[in-house]
Amino acid sequence: MSVRDDDDDETRQFHQQLCQYEDHAVRMIHEYFHDDLHHIMENLSPISLLDQLSSRNIPDVEKYQSLEHDRKTLARTLLQDIFHEGREAVIALWVSLYVLRRHQDSPGLHALLEELQHGGKTLVAQIVLDEYGHQLPPELKDIQNCHRKHLHEKTEKLLENKPPRCDQEEERFPFCTRYVNLIIVSTDHFRERSENELIETGVKHEEYLKKTQNELQCISPNKMFRWCHRSRLVPHMVMVSGVPGVGKTTLMQKFVYDWVKGDLYQSFSFIFFFKFRELNRLDEVSLETMILQHYPYLREQLGKILQDPEKLLFIFDGLDESNHNVDFTSSHLCSNPKQPEHCGQIVVSLVRKSLLNGCSVLMTSRPSRLASIDCNVFQRIVEIIGFLPEERQMYFENFFLNLELAEKAFTYVKENDTLYTFCYLPSYCWIICTVLSKSFQPTSSGQPASLLPKTVTQLFVIFVTNILSNHSLYKSNTQKILTSIGWMAEHGVMNHRIVFDEGDLDCFHVDNQSKLLSSFLMESEDSGTYSFLHLTVQEFLSALVHYTDYSPEKLQKSLEEAKSYPDGRAEIFLRFLCGLSDGSTSSILKGYLGTEAAQASTHVITWMKDFILEKQRESDGKKHQLRTFYYLFETRNKALVLESVKSHRFDLFGGHMSALDCTVLGFVLKTCTHIKELRLVQCILDNEGLNRLATALNNLQILRLAKNDLRDTLCTQVASVIRNNPSLKILDLSGNHLSGPHFSDLMDALSSPVCRIEELHLAGTHLSDTSCTQLASGIRNNQSLKILDLSNNRLYGPQFSDLMDALSNPPCRIEKLNLGYNYLPDTSCTQLASGIRNNQSLKILDLTGSHLSGPQFSDLMDALSSPACRIEKLKLTGNNLPDTSCTQLASGIRNNQSLKTLDLSGNHLSGPHFSDLMDALSSPACRIEELQLMGNNLAGTSCTQLASGIRNSQSLKILDLSLNHLSGPHFSDLMAALSSPACRIEKLNLLSCRLSNNEKKKLSELSTHKPKMKISN
């Protein structure tokens, strides 16, 4: 039975909908959604899922419990078994998922269930249509077969750029041997873009890696035109966003290739694939003409084909490469496929549905272009994130074929944080693999095996050097070509251009007959346009040109322009410029640089120093610190780093710190051993980033890593820092999630003889009472720790006594202990008492926000009156203490000669027993100098009791009575005591005490009478 008695009405309705499907339909739906189900089940809690299935009479669920830690196998096995069990089991699975959706943050699960509900009775028909396509008349079926054959020839091979050896052509590989799946997620984050898109996407990619797959809505190619969770409809207009080189064009090729093979979207009878760069040569043209220029064999049947728009898909690749005005808000639309219009207007009209209403459009673009246009017309927007770690390794294996060499190359890259981070881009993987395929050759080939890149600049230097060394041109001619294409490249970087035409080549004197040119520029088929192998190749050549053709004026102009762009378009260009200033890096290109390359290097280094100094002076210079660190990192110039970084403190509060950022920061910290404080608070720092930083933290005295959402596994890394850094005095880990087995690693390091930490902040770290045993082991024999902040945790429980026992251990030297907001009950007072009774170092104890009122509160007060107690400041704010607690408080402070500050704010002390507290205050042995009674509901009658305490106290100097209700006839008693010559009070706070004008007048008179008394009212 798939329905339980406790299922709600929504669940029952969902079950009824499923029961309407016949057996074959249920099995068809299950198979259609198989991949989605596998992904979702793989990321659900196995226990929750198995409990649900068991409660719905799925037999032998227990046998899957052994697979709980192998979720892929569990999902695969469970799906297979349920399918074989038949209709009832399949329905039970769907109902279980429907119930679990309420407790799962899984956009994919929500989207899947919505699609199933929305599809209703038409879902099966849609599945059949997607698999088998429309029935076409014979003449259209023939032309469709011809079209498939043409597209198959265009897409069956994956073109790989020409390697850096001019004697070889581009290589083509069967799609299935080279294609690696890309991660595509639902997004719209391109809308706000203030830095280089490649860098920003790299940061975003790392954020996705931190999330579980369950938190991402991954959009596989077969989902593009299925139900959209965001727009809550089946989309017809889809935009695919992605940075250059991430695989947008390859994904479109894959899409067409799968359609041709019959694997994908057979509901489209015809697909028309266009590249915007090839459409740039068209001006006014009709849609029919545009199609026929690409597919002339459709001429006779095109009219019939266009009569059924819902059977058509138009793919437009590379909106960012379009020279046409593509304005999706335009009111000038066309509706006639035979009518000539501007090319951009035809595209807009298709998307806006005025032309061939019912057709579908799939488009790609760089994020930078999307940020400047209105994309609301698209019903689904996705972003290609690139490769996850497994896909990166798979790419290397596909590239090298020799698994031993692939493993060697991948291991090298993985150990190089800088190179590995950018491997999320397929094009970067190609460049890295191309370089390493030469570097890992035996030395007999003439290429030294040691020529391995350590920075991105070195990677591209070696890449370009490999290209140049395989050309027979004289170096002077090579330099001429590098210069001409370099100036064109820089013009493109500064003006957001990646597509160039013959006019651009003429303008920059580029010799398009040179064989070398084809190693850097790709020419589009039939369109006469050119683009660099990758945007980063363009950015590198635009920096290199200043070393092949140095002009002080041009370089300075470029530097000033580059740093001024708010969208970060020239950020990679600047990094390359700085990287090339390093002599050891640029020497790899010896013979290809200009005679004044050394002057260019000096010029860039001078600019760097000035820029860093400028940013250090700015009030918001903090956000630019990392930017300058990247420049220094690429130079590898440690002398320059030391000369540029003068501060003894780095504060990167609130700025996202990616793992690569940590690598760069680590380089600066290792070089600048004079840095004593590092503040990385709210930086979304992760364990991987901290791992990269760890070895660079050995000279710090202050390390603040608060509010980074770090897990207990970070404790192992921090423990290593503590053991290797005897200089560390202050460590702040507040606001993280440290509770867990690895917390003991941190405590073990704290008890290490080399540990010299004096101040440890662990506020709000989700510690429970079980953590107290671990804490005890850390502080029991630590003689350096003076301040321990454990506020905002949940430490109370049977093991809280372990912490208190450690506190009373003679070697323990803690002077300030903050246990605020641990919601300690009054039963904890006995344990607290044992901790402070024998501790002669503890001077400040904060118990704010606890619930200490009760009979055992007296145990704490007895310990406070112990001769061995040295507490000077006690905070009992917000403990719901009633006036009956005043008798217990009085016993604690009457004979205590160490207590100087007592904070009782936020309690309920008003009542007859309040006088006991005031009597104790006037005891000759009492040494309290500051008493906080703010917000205690003290009434006017309390003034008489206050007066007796004030009048006879020989030590009280600060009294806070704000937020009480002291107005009334007894207020004069308080004024009389304050006016008394015996009163020692120097600071009085009476804010918000609802005093009358006459009472305020008396306060004014008191100020005149006692001018040294500071009164706030």
mmCIF file of all heavy atoms in Angstrom, residues 171-193:
data_model
loop_
_atom_site.group_PDB
_atom_site.id
_atom_site.type_symbol
_atom_site.label_atom_id
_atom_site.label_comp_id
_atom_site.label_asym_id
_atom_site.label_seq_id
_atom_site.Cartn_x
_atom_site.Cartn_y
_atom_site.Cartn_z
ATOM 1 N N GLU A 171 43.317 18.800 -34.912
ATOM 2 C CA GLU A 171 42.990 17.390 -34.771
ATOM 3 C C GLU A 171 41.497 17.224 -34.509
ATOM 4 O O GLU A 171 40.884 18.032 -33.810
ATOM 5 C CB GLU A 171 43.798 16.786 -33.617
ATOM 6 C CG GLU A 171 45.301 16.809 -33.878
ATOM 7 C CD GLU A 171 46.067 16.072 -32.787
ATOM 8 O OE1 GLU A 171 45.897 14.850 -32.681
ATOM 9 O OE2 GLU A 171 46.806 16.731 -32.058
ATOM 10 N N ARG A 172 40.901 16.187 -35.089
ATOM 11 C CA ARG A 172 39.494 15.895 -34.886
ATOM 12 C C ARG A 172 39.369 14.516 -34.236
ATOM 13 O O ARG A 172 40.030 13.574 -34.638
ATOM 14 C CB ARG A 172 38.732 15.929 -36.213
ATOM 15 C CG ARG A 172 38.652 17.320 -36.823
ATOM 16 C CD ARG A 172 37.915 17.295 -38.155
ATOM 17 N NE ARG A 172 37.856 18.618 -38.737
ATOM 18 C CZ ARG A 172 36.880 19.498 -38.511
ATOM 19 N NH1 ARG A 172 35.878 19.174 -37.729
ATOM 20 N NH2 ARG A 172 36.892 20.680 -39.073
ATOM 21 N N PHE A 173 38.521 14.461 -33.211
ATOM 22 C CA PHE A 173 38.345 13.212 -32.476
ATOM 23 C C PHE A 173 36.867 12.859 -32.455
ATOM 24 O O PHE A 173 36.008 13.742 -32.385
ATOM 25 C CB PHE A 173 38.846 13.365 -31.032
ATOM 26 C CG PHE A 173 40.300 13.681 -30.919
ATOM 27 C CD1 PHE A 173 40.742 15.001 -30.924
ATOM 28 C CD2 PHE A 173 41.235 12.663 -30.815
ATOM 29 C CE1 PHE A 173 42.089 15.293 -30.821
ATOM 30 C CE2 PHE A 173 42.584 12.957 -30.708
ATOM 31 C CZ PHE A 173 43.021 14.271 -30.718
ATOM 32 N N PRO A 174 36.529 11.573 -32.471
ATOM 33 C CA PRO A 174 35.130 11.176 -32.294
ATOM 34 C C PRO A 174 34.590 11.777 -30.999
ATOM 35 O O PRO A 174 35.279 11.767 -29.967
ATOM 36 C CB PRO A 174 35.203 9.641 -32.224
ATOM 37 C CG PRO A 174 36.441 9.299 -32.973
ATOM 38 C CD PRO A 174 37.410 10.412 -32.698
ATOM 39 N N PHE A 175 33.378 12.293 -31.074
ATOM 40 C CA PHE A 175 32.813 13.023 -29.941
ATOM 41 C C PHE A 175 32.885 12.216 -28.648
ATOM 42 O O PHE A 175 33.253 12.731 -27.591
ATOM 43 C CB PHE A 175 31.348 13.375 -30.249
ATOM 44 C CG PHE A 175 30.952 14.717 -29.759
ATOM 45 C CD1 PHE A 175 30.931 15.809 -30.608
ATOM 46 C CD2 PHE A 175 30.625 14.913 -28.423
ATOM 47 C CE1 PHE A 175 30.568 17.063 -30.135
ATOM 48 C CE2 PHE A 175 30.271 16.161 -27.959
ATOM 49 C CZ PHE A 175 30.241 17.242 -28.822
ATOM 50 N N CYS A 176 32.547 10.927 -28.748
ATOM 51 C CA CYS A 176 32.450 10.113 -27.544
ATOM 52 C C CYS A 176 33.802 9.875 -26.872
ATOM 53 O O CYS A 176 33.868 9.551 -25.686
ATOM 54 C CB CYS A 176 31.782 8.780 -27.856
ATOM 55 S SG CYS A 176 32.644 7.824 -29.123
ATOM 56 N N THR A 177 34.914 10.038 -27.590
ATOM 57 C CA THR A 177 36.229 9.785 -26.999
ATOM 58 C C THR A 177 36.820 11.021 -26.340
ATOM 59 O O THR A 177 37.780 10.919 -25.580
ATOM 60 C CB THR A 177 37.227 9.291 -28.069
ATOM 61 O OG1 THR A 177 37.473 10.346 -29.021
ATOM 62 C CG2 THR A 177 36.696 8.074 -28.781
ATOM 63 N N ARG A 178 36.295 12.200 -26.636
ATOM 64 C CA ARG A 178 36.892 13.427 -26.122
ATOM 65 C C ARG A 178 35.949 14.220 -25.214
ATOM 66 O O ARG A 178 36.375 14.936 -24.324
ATOM 67 C CB ARG A 178 37.301 14.348 -27.283
ATOM 68 C CG ARG A 178 38.765 14.289 -27.692
ATOM 69 C CD ARG A 178 39.716 14.618 -26.549
ATOM 70 N NE ARG A 178 41.003 15.044 -27.005
ATOM 71 C CZ ARG A 178 42.101 14.302 -26.995
ATOM 72 N NH1 ARG A 178 42.042 13.052 -26.602
ATOM 73 N NH2 ARG A 178 43.257 14.796 -27.393
ATOM 74 N N TYR A 179 34.626 14.074 -25.426
ATOM 75 C CA TYR A 179 33.679 14.915 -24.690
ATOM 76 C C TYR A 179 33.611 14.493 -23.223
ATOM 77 O O TYR A 179 33.508 13.313 -22.904
ATOM 78 C CB TYR A 179 32.282 14.836 -25.301
ATOM 79 C CG TYR A 179 31.296 15.771 -24.627
ATOM 80 C CD1 TYR A 179 31.311 17.141 -24.908
ATOM 81 C CD2 TYR A 179 30.385 15.300 -23.693
ATOM 82 C CE1 TYR A 179 30.430 18.001 -24.281
ATOM 83 C CE2 TYR A 179 29.494 16.158 -23.064
ATOM 84 C CZ TYR A 179 29.528 17.508 -23.359
ATOM 85 O OH TYR A 179 28.652 18.366 -22.737
ATOM 86 N N VAL A 180 33.683 15.485 -22.340
ATOM 87 C CA VAL A 180 33.543 15.257 -20.905
ATOM 88 C C VAL A 180 32.381 16.111 -20.424
ATOM 89 O O VAL A 180 32.270 17.282 -20.786
ATOM 90 C CB VAL A 180 34.832 15.644 -20.143
ATOM 91 C CG1 VAL A 180 34.641 15.461 -18.649
ATOM 92 C CG2 VAL A 180 36.004 14.811 -20.635
ATOM 93 N N ASN A 181 31.515 15.535 -19.613
ATOM 94 C CA ASN A 181 30.330 16.263 -19.163
ATOM 95 C C ASN A 181 30.694 17.542 -18.420
ATOM 96 O O ASN A 181 31.626 17.575 -17.613
ATOM 97 C CB ASN A 181 29.482 15.381 -18.240
ATOM 98 C CG ASN A 181 28.696 14.347 -19.014
ATOM 99 O OD1 ASN A 181 28.309 14.584 -20.161
ATOM 100 N ND2 ASN A 181 28.457 13.201 -18.404
ATOM 101 N N LEU A 182 29.919 18.582 -18.693
ATOM 102 C CA LEU A 182 30.081 19.866 -18.030
ATOM 103 C C LEU A 182 28.990 20.020 -16.976
ATOM 104 O O LEU A 182 27.900 19.464 -17.117
ATOM 105 C CB LEU A 182 29.971 21.012 -19.043
ATOM 106 C CG LEU A 182 31.067 21.057 -20.110
ATOM 107 C CD1 LEU A 182 30.603 21.864 -21.306
ATOM 108 C CD2 LEU A 182 32.325 21.665 -19.521
ATOM 109 N N ILE A 183 29.283 20.790 -15.936
ATOM 110 C CA ILE A 183 28.283 21.055 -14.910
ATOM 111 C C ILE A 183 27.534 22.324 -15.298
ATOM 112 O O ILE A 183 28.122 23.390 -15.480
ATOM 113 C CB ILE A 183 28.942 21.231 -13.528
ATOM 114 C CG1 ILE A 183 29.765 19.990 -13.187
ATOM 115 C CG2 ILE A 183 27.880 21.471 -12.462
ATOM 116 C CD1 ILE A 183 29.004 18.682 -13.240
ATOM 117 N N ILE A 184 26.204 22.192 -15.416
ATOM 118 C CA ILE A 184 25.360 23.319 -15.812
ATOM 119 C C ILE A 184 24.352 23.539 -14.696
ATOM 120 O O ILE A 184 23.684 22.596 -14.264
ATOM 121 C CB ILE A 184 24.612 23.018 -17.131
ATOM 122 C CG1 ILE A 184 25.595 22.518 -18.198
ATOM 123 C CG2 ILE A 184 23.863 24.238 -17.629
ATOM 124 C CD1 ILE A 184 24.918 21.891 -19.388
ATOM 125 N N VAL A 185 24.243 24.773 -14.210
ATOM 126 C CA VAL A 185 23.338 25.055 -13.094
ATOM 127 C C VAL A 185 22.422 26.209 -13.436
ATOM 128 O O VAL A 185 22.755 27.083 -14.234
ATOM 129 C CB VAL A 185 24.112 25.385 -11.795
ATOM 130 C CG1 VAL A 185 24.938 24.200 -11.350
ATOM 131 C CG2 VAL A 185 24.978 26.621 -11.960
ATOM 132 N N SER A 186 21.254 26.206 -12.794
ATOM 133 C CA SER A 186 20.307 27.309 -12.961
ATOM 134 C C SER A 186 20.888 28.541 -12.284
ATOM 135 O O SER A 186 21.413 28.466 -11.177
ATOM 136 C CB SER A 186 18.977 26.922 -12.319
ATOM 137 O OG SER A 186 18.030 27.932 -12.482
ATOM 138 N N THR A 187 20.773 29.702 -12.941
ATOM 139 C CA THR A 187 21.446 30.895 -12.408
ATOM 140 C C THR A 187 20.844 32.176 -12.952
ATOM 141 O O THR A 187 20.088 32.168 -13.911
ATOM 142 C CB THR A 187 22.947 30.879 -12.774
ATOM 143 O OG1 THR A 187 23.609 31.946 -12.102
ATOM 144 C CG2 THR A 187 23.142 31.067 -14.272
ATOM 145 N N ASP A 188 21.181 33.280 -12.310
ATOM 146 C CA ASP A 188 21.011 34.602 -12.908
ATOM 147 C C ASP A 188 22.024 35.561 -12.287
ATOM 148 O O ASP A 188 21.852 36.757 -12.277
ATOM 149 C CB ASP A 188 19.585 35.145 -12.720
ATOM 150 C CG ASP A 188 19.200 35.299 -11.261
ATOM 151 O OD1 ASP A 188 20.037 34.969 -10.396
ATOM 152 O OD2 ASP A 188 18.074 35.740 -10.992
ATOM 153 N N HIS A 189 23.148 34.996 -11.749
ATOM 154 C CA HIS A 189 24.097 35.825 -10.990
ATOM 155 C C HIS A 189 24.924 36.741 -11.876
ATOM 156 O O HIS A 189 25.618 37.608 -11.390
ATOM 157 C CB HIS A 189 25.008 34.950 -10.114
ATOM 158 C CG HIS A 189 26.223 34.425 -10.797
ATOM 159 N ND1 HIS A 189 26.256 33.179 -11.382
ATOM 160 C CD2 HIS A 189 27.451 34.963 -11.003
ATOM 161 C CE1 HIS A 189 27.449 32.977 -11.907
ATOM 162 N NE2 HIS A 189 28.188 34.035 -11.694
ATOM 163 N N PHE A 190 24.802 36.589 -13.206
ATOM 164 C CA PHE A 190 25.542 37.485 -14.085
ATOM 165 C C PHE A 190 24.990 38.896 -14.023
ATOM 166 O O PHE A 190 25.586 39.836 -14.527
ATOM 167 C CB PHE A 190 25.462 36.990 -15.540
ATOM 168 C CG PHE A 190 24.057 36.831 -16.035
ATOM 169 C CD1 PHE A 190 23.341 37.921 -16.500
ATOM 170 C CD2 PHE A 190 23.457 35.588 -15.998
ATOM 171 C CE1 PHE A 190 22.047 37.776 -16.932
ATOM 172 C CE2 PHE A 190 22.151 35.436 -16.432
ATOM 173 C CZ PHE A 190 21.441 36.533 -16.892
ATOM 174 N N ARG A 191 23.823 39.065 -13.394
ATOM 175 C CA ARG A 191 23.170 40.382 -13.423
ATOM 176 C C ARG A 191 24.003 41.439 -12.700
ATOM 177 O O ARG A 191 23.907 42.616 -13.003
ATOM 178 C CB ARG A 191 21.781 40.291 -12.801
ATOM 179 C CG ARG A 191 20.864 39.375 -13.607
ATOM 180 C CD ARG A 191 19.451 39.395 -13.068
ATOM 181 N NE ARG A 191 18.612 38.425 -13.758
ATOM 182 C CZ ARG A 191 18.096 38.607 -14.955
ATOM 183 N NH1 ARG A 191 18.334 39.719 -15.603
ATOM 184 N NH2 ARG A 191 17.341 37.679 -15.510
ATOM 185 N N GLU A 192 24.769 41.029 -11.710
ATOM 186 C CA GLU A 192 25.637 41.985 -11.013
ATOM 187 C C GLU A 192 27.068 41.501 -11.180
ATOM 188 O O GLU A 192 27.466 40.501 -10.612
ATOM 189 C CB GLU A 192 25.272 42.058 -9.529
ATOM 190 C CG GLU A 192 23.882 42.628 -9.281
ATOM 191 C CD GLU A 192 23.574 42.696 -7.796
ATOM 192 O OE1 GLU A 192 24.497 42.490 -6.994
ATOM 193 O OE2 GLU A 192 22.424 42.962 -7.461
ATOM 194 N N ARG A 193 27.820 42.226 -11.965
ATOM 195 C CA ARG A 193 29.178 41.753 -12.282
ATOM 196 C C ARG A 193 30.132 42.938 -12.199
ATOM 197 O O ARG A 193 30.022 43.888 -12.957
ATOM 198 C CB ARG A 193 29.187 41.143 -13.681
ATOM 199 C CG ARG A 193 30.438 40.365 -13.981
ATOM 200 C CD ARG A 193 30.235 39.527 -15.215
ATOM 201 N NE ARG A 193 29.318 38.444 -14.972
ATOM 202 C CZ ARG A 193 29.689 37.252 -14.517
ATOM 203 N NH1 ARG A 193 30.941 37.008 -14.252
ATOM 204 N NH2 ARG A 193 28.800 36.295 -14.324
#
